[in-house]
Amino acid sequence: MDGFMAQFGINGDPAITRRWRDRKITDDVRISGVGNKRGRVSFATSGPNTRTTQLFINIVDNDRLDSMGFTPVAEVVEGMDVVDRLFKVGEGAPDGPGPSQSSVESMGNAYLNKQFPR
């Protein structure tokens, strides 16, 4: 999402996505002073200890995420210019024009190639 973050991590093969869907990764301990600054990589989450395979790269400083359980686990140290050029479609459906996560999970690349041709 332009001006916020670039999220990724749902496999294009629905069978692989199904194998990982219910495998949860426990949260990392938050380190004071290490926040969601531009270029930091964090897991997407729906609450404590609910991380799966989805991560995001902060496109801008997103300090407000620090207290919400989004603990950075990595940092892009080279190539943010490439991240800035990623194909941007906006918030996912139904709130925006981007892909529906449930459709990506159930249909994979077939859905993406049909709905978002390049």
Side-chain angles (χ1 to χ4, degrees):
M1 295 185 325
D2 202 15
F4 182 40
M5 52 87 158
Q7 187 167 324
F8 57 94
I10 298 176
N11 196 286
D13 180 340
I16 293 172
T17 297
R18 279 191 298 278
R19 284 196 298 258
W20 281 96
R21 183 174 313 148
D22 296 322
R23 296 181 183 182
K24 304 300 182 204
I25 302 168
T26 56
D27 292 341
D28 287 301
V29 175
R30 186 168 176 234
I31 300 171
S32 180
V34 177
N36 283 279
K37 301 290 187 197
R38 175 174 164 77
R40 299 251 169 93
V41 182
S42 297
F43 276 93
T45 179
S46 59
N49 299 312
T50 60
R51 302 182 309 173
T52 61
T53 60
Q54 295 187 57
L55 296 107
F56 61 89
I57 302 169
N58 289 285
I59 302 296
V60 297
D61 289 351
N62 288 310
D63 298 328
R64 62 188 168 85
L65 299 178
D66 295 347
S67 63
M68 299 170 64
F70 298 98
T71 303
V73 296
E75 184 173 7
V76 177
V77 295
E78 186 175 314
M80 275 303 291
D81 59 316
V82 175
V83 175
D84 290 335
R85 292 192 311 263
L86 289 174
F87 184 60
K88 299 171 185 160
V89 294
E91 176 73 26
D95 296 325
S100 159
Q101 286 190 14
S102 62
S103 295
V104 175
E105 289 175 355
S106 64
M107 295 179 273
N109 285 335
Y111 163 77
L112 291 171
N113 291 335
K114 181 178 179 185
Q115 296 298 319
F116 300 93
R118 294 188 115 215

